[in-house]
């Protein structure tokens, strides 16, 4: 197995990509994601944290009454999210940070969102654990990502792509964050998988054991 890229290298890579990110995502948005962004954001309530918020492509899709915080590793991606928020008149507290070590106290948010971010975070299981930690009991975790396909030929192709993408960009194609969500004891309330299983979206509730 190749050595994981350092966070500093990943940050530089995302900073460099920031200016072309929205355009590059355009193809995947049209061909693969369908209504995933509105599906995710429409379920957010009250105090909401978006992890790996990127350029803020979701910002305009949240219900107006949600109080938004966004975090990301890349200052350049966050600059674009800040400009977008100003353009659309959306208040959001944007912070630099690492999804694997969130700076927030336990049980700080009613909703935690991450879209197409866990494919890029080095330790996806650790990041899910952090999202669950900062979620209040009874809160909702909303995740969407590209994951390992249900089709054998596509799985083989994903394995080949990963030989390059993991080493050079830390981009994973065969993960399934839902497994970490289940292992963390959350209750899956809604779950959809489509496009040969490549796109998966999940709404999972943190049990309220009080
Ligand atoms: C594919 S982009 C997704 C951006 C956004 N969530 C979206 O839906 O368009 C991946 C994002 O993850 C961020 N990222 C990568 N590793 C991270 C980490 N350890 N902590 C926080 N953000 C990270 C990158 O900076 C980048 O903005």
């Amino acid at each position: 197995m190749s050595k994981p890229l350092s966070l500093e290298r990943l940050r530089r890579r995302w900073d460099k990509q920031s200016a072309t990110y929205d355009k590059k995502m355009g193809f995947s948005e049209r061909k693969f994601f369908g209504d995933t962004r509105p599906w995710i954001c429409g379920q957010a309530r009250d105090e909401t944290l978006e992890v790996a918020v990127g350029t803020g492509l979701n910002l305009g899709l949240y219900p107006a009454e949600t109080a938004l915080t966004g975090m990301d590793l890349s200052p350049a991606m966050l600059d674009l999210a800040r400009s977008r928020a100003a353009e659309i008149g959306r208040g959001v507290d944007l912070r630099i940070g690492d999804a694997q070590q969130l700076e927030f106290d336990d049980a700080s948010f009613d909703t935690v969102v991450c879209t197409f971010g866990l494919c890029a975070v080095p330790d996806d299981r650790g990041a899910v654990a952090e999202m669950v930690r900062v979620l209040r009991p009874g809160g909702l975790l909303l995740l969407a990502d590209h994951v390992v396909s249900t089709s054998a030929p596509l799985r083989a192709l994903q394995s080949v792509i990963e030989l390059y993408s993991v080493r050079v960009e830390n981009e994973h194609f065969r993960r399934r964050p839902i497994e970490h969500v289940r292992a963390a004891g959350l209750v899956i309330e809604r779950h959809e998988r489509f496009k040969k299983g490549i796109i998966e979206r999940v709404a999972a509730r943190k049990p309220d054991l009080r």
Side-chain angles (χ1 to χ4, degrees):
M1 212 159 75
S2 55
K3 198 168 156 239
L5 296 178
S6 72
L7 271 192
E8 199 37 57
R9 268 187 72 188
L10 284 176
R11 177 179 286 129
R12 281 203 301 274
R13 175 185 173 262
W14 283 106
D15 279 351
K16 217 163 136 191
Q17 287 220 348
S18 60
T20 53
Y21 177 78
D22 291 1
K23 200 163 170 216
K24 273 212 249 164
M25 281 297 266
F27 175 80
S28 304
E29 303 270 354
R30 287 189 300 278
K31 293 281 176 206
F32 295 104
F33 298 175
D35 64 349
T36 294
R37 292 187 187 278
W39 189 92
I40 291 279
C41 299
Q43 298 179 66
R45 296 288 176 271
D46 304 319
E47 285 186 69
T48 296
L49 170 67
E50 185 172 336
V51 172
V53 64
T55 61
L57 286 171
N58 293 330
L59 291 180
L61 302 172
Y62 288 101
E65 60 281 7
T66 48
L68 282 183
T69 303
M71 62 78 55
D72 199 281
L73 186 65
S74 156
M77 296 289 273
L78 282 177
D79 282 347
L80 292 169
R82 209 163 277 119
S83 305
R84 187 189 308 273
E87 240 167 65
I88 62 175
R90 186 22 141 151
V92 54
D93 176 1
L94 291 170
R95 304 183 187 196
I96 296 171
D98 178 7
Q100 303 160 124
Q101 262 186 310
L102 293 173
E103 65 174 275
F104 309 102
D105 290 340
D106 296 358
S108 305
F109 295 96
D110 303 290
T111 309
V112 176
V113 168
C114 186
T115 60
F116 310 103
L118 284 168
C119 51
V121 172
D123 175 9
D124 60 329
R125 183 213 286 252
V128 168
E130 278 293 89
M131 293 178 204
V132 173
R133 180 183 68 74
V134 303
L135 200 55
R136 294 192 174 115
L140 200 59
L141 178 63
L142 294 163
L143 301 180
D145 226 310
H146 59 83
V147 299
V148 66
S149 177
T150 46
S151 140
L154 283 178
R155 280 202 301 279
L157 179 64
Q158 287 175 314
S159 300
V160 173
I161 294 171
E162 273 197 350
L163 292 175
Y164 168 86
S165 67
V166 172
R167 191 167 46 84
V168 178
E169 311 177 308
N170 194 56
E171 178 75 13
H172 293 260
F173 287 85
R174 294 185 304 153
R175 287 178 165 174
R176 289 228 36 222
I178 192 172
E179 289 167 1
H180 305 317
V181 175
R182 284 204 182 101
L186 272 66
V187 179
I188 309 290
E189 289 194 343
R190 279 172 288 280
H191 170 219
E192 295 180 8
R193 198 172 174 194
F194 51 95
K195 295 284 176 188
K196 308 258 184 217
I198 287 176
I199 305 298
E200 185 162 54
R201 55 198 195 189
V202 180
R205 182 86 53 193
K206 181 170 175 173
D208 188 348
L209 304 171
R210 289 170 300 178

